[in-house]
């Protein structure tokens, strides 16, 4: 296989990828804010970076590639949804995360190695904020902690714009407590009915950007290989992540390569609820369109080009999927085609990879078609192979016991204990949700019995 070449949004050029440590290749991608079911646009970065994850695993070995994608589970949109529906924030975020995992699995995506939730890293965010304050990059004003962009001399390096240009081009929130309109919030105060944590700046919650700087540093260290996300995040989110992380280290700290997918539109228009062109992968799968057909649709457009979603394209993909599925259904696995691999290795050229797949189908090389399709996340859709897990009685009993213990702690108003157990469940991969009929649970992909047992003793 040839070398991997990737386009770096920061240098605006494509170059050969050479990881900092080939035994620990690290990729961080900004994940969803969990207040609503993921829409078809959200699935685009998931599929793109899943293809890259698969490629890196192929080249460097599965155990040497680490991929983290966060869940933003503290955000004003979540608070608004809780207020509107009368549900608790935790109920909303747990449910949305569960949906996200199963919807993305249905599109053939692998689970990342780490799926950190922002609320589990508040301590790290507070200590990073403290470092920024101590080093003179942040100032306090009216119970807020604010990053002062003029203090970081390379602010704007990702988008290549000056601070003044940015002010002119962006809808920035002008607030009386900011020295400069571009200064951004690291910490803000919470009302008693809003989620909050005690901090040196009072009871409050983090600003959005600090979570990715703090979580990537905790999981990967201050330097790692690839940082990805949708193009809409390049400014201000990624610009601000760079300012936070690089202020605390040298300029070459943090991500070495920045990758951004272009946006998905529907019939040439931006997706929006008012236009009625807003839908989720789940809606489409419920209509009988297979996850594989949808995945093929995404792969048909290069990630750095806008993807226009049309019914026509979906129909074409469905036809293609049926044709290929018939061809490979009863055959053995061949080898992954070098041409497919090389296309993907050339800055994720998935349209070229698909045209190589067409050639394999045409020449009757169905074994290699099958192997190459699996490499692209097709044909071996994990959902369709997943059988019900049968748990031994001891595990069932342990789960029941721990859930009872938590219910008991809540009844006795021992919220510290109840929260500790709930956080322990999350870390052990036991997904719980409070329903009208009591507590519902299921095991996540990362379920770890040892971690669950440790909660008991
Ligand atoms: P959000 O939940 O809005 O923070 O978005 C989660 C991820 O989906 C981010 O990487 C966004 O850049 C990406 N995203 C959101 N909308 C679209 C879209 N229409 N097309 C492509 N990517 C999108
Ligand atoms: Zn982020």
């Amino acid at each position: 296989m040839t070398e991997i070449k990737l386009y770096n949004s920061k240098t605006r050029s494509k170059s050969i990828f050479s990881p900092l440590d080939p035994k620990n290749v690290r990729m961080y991608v900004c994940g969803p804010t969990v207040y609503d079911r993921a829409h078809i646009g959200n699935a685009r970065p998931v599929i793109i970076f899943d293809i890259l994850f698969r490629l890196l695993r192929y080249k460097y070995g599965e155990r040497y590639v680490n991929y983290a994608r966060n869940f933003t589970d503290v955000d004003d949109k979540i608070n608004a949804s809780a207020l509107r529906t009368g549900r608790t924030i935790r109920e909303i975020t747990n449910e949305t995360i569960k949906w996200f995992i199963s919807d993305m699995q249905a599109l053939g995506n692998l689970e990342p190695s780490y799926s950190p939730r922002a609320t589990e890293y508040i301590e790290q965010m507070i200590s990073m904020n403290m470092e920024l304050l101590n080093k003179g990059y942040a100032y306090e004003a009216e119970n807020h902690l604010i990053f002062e962009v003029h203090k970081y001399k390379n602010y704007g390096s990702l988008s290549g714009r000056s601070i003044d240009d940015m002010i002119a081009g962006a809808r920035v929130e002008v607030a009386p407590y900011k020295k400069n309109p571009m200064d951004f919030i690291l910490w803000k105060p919470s009302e008693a009915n809003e989620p909050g944590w005690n901090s040196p700046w009072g009871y409050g919650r983090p600003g959005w950007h600090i979570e990715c700087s703090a979580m990537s540093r905790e999981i990967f260290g201050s330097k790692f290989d690839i940082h990805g996300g949708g193009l809409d995040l390049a400014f201000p989110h990624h610009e601000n992540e760079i300012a936070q992380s690089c202020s605390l280290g040298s300029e070459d700290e943090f991500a070495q390569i920045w990758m951004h997918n272009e946006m998905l539109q529907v019939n040439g228009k931006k997706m929006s609820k008012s236009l009625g062109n807003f839908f989720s992968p789940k809606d489409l799968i419920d209509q009988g369109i297979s996850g594989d057909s949808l995945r093929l649709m995404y792969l048909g457009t290069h990630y750095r080009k806008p993807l226009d979603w049309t019914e026509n394209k979906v129909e074409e993909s469905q036809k293609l999927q049926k044709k290929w599925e018939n061809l490979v259904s009863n055959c053995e696995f061949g080898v992954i085609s070098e041409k497919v691999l090389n296309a993907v290795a050339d800055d994720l050229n998935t349209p070229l990879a698909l045209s190589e797949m067409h050639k394999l189908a045409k020449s009757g090389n169905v074994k290699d078609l099958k192997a190459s399709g699996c490499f692209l996340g097709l044909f071996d859709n994990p959902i369709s192979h997943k059988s019900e897990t049968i748990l031994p009685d001891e595990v069932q009993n342990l789960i029941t016991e721990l859930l009872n213990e938590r219910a008991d702690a809540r009844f006795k108003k021992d919220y510290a204990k109840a929260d500790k157990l709930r956080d322990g469940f999350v870390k052990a991969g036991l997904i719980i949700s409070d329903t009208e009929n009591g507590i519902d649970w299921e095991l996540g992909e990362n379920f770890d019995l040892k971690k669950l047992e440790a909660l008991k003793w």
Side-chain angles (χ1 to χ4, degrees), residues 30-33 39 41-42 44-45 229-230 232-233 261-264 271:
C30 294
T33 307
H39 56 65
N42 297 133
R44 193 170 194 202
D232 58 329
L233 300 184
N261 64 272
E262 253 288 358
M263 305 305 275
L264 177 147
M271 261 189 307

Side-chain angles (χ1 to χ4, degrees), residues 16 20 64 71 83 99 104 127 131 137 197 201 207 232 236 246 284 295 308 337 358 369 373 422 429 435 439:
I16 292 175
L20 294 164
Y64 301 122
F71 285 115
L83 265 180
W99 286 342
M104 295 308 135
S127 78
E131 289 169 53
Y137 288 100
W197 293 263
W201 316 283
D232 58 329
C246 293
L284 299 163
R295 190 171 175 93
D308 194 23
S337 141
H358 278 290
L369 177 70
R422 187 202 54 210
T435 70
I439 300 227

Side-chain angles (χ1 to χ4, degrees), residues 143-277:
N143 298 323
H144 290 71
L145 184 70
I146 296 164
F147 188 96
E148 189 166 1
V149 290
H150 274 295
K151 288 278 168 72
Y152 175 60
K153 64 178 189 322
N154 285 332
Y155 191 76
S157 60
L158 181 64
S159 38
R161 288 187 292 172
S162 71
I163 294 178
D164 289 341
D165 282 352
M166 287 183 188
I167 296 174
R171 270 188 291 162
V172 287
E173 189 193 339
V174 183
Y177 45 79
K178 285 189 189 173
K179 293 186 190 171
N180 181 295
M182 294 309 292
D183 291 353
F184 59 89
I185 290 173
L186 296 167
W187 191 265
K188 60 183 169 186
S190 289
E191 298 292 336
N193 64 350
E194 287 174 330
W197 293 263
N198 291 324
S199 81
W201 316 283
Y203 178 76
R205 58 194 191 277
W208 170 31
H209 315 295
I210 194 68
E211 73 176 72
C212 292
S213 286
M215 291 191 286
S216 63
R217 185 170 79 166
E218 177 73 17
I219 296 168
F220 289 153
S222 56
K223 235 175 168 179
F224 57 95
D225 298 295
I226 300 167
H227 193 314
L231 193 59
D232 58 329
L233 300 184
F235 176 78
H237 183 52
H238 291 161
E239 205 75 75
N240 293 352
E241 281 187 36
I242 292 174
Q244 294 160 161
S245 296
C246 293
S247 296
L248 297 180
S250 59
E251 223 8 73
D252 70 340
E253 293 286 280
F254 208 39
Q256 306 299 295
I257 297 174
W258 285 85
M259 292 179 71
H260 293 101
N261 64 272
E262 253 288 358
M263 305 305 275
L264 177 147
Q265 303 174 324
V266 177
N267 297 319
K269 292 198 183 92
K270 195 178 166 193
M271 261 189 307
S272 84
K273 283 197 171 139
S274 56
L275 287 172
N277 60 2

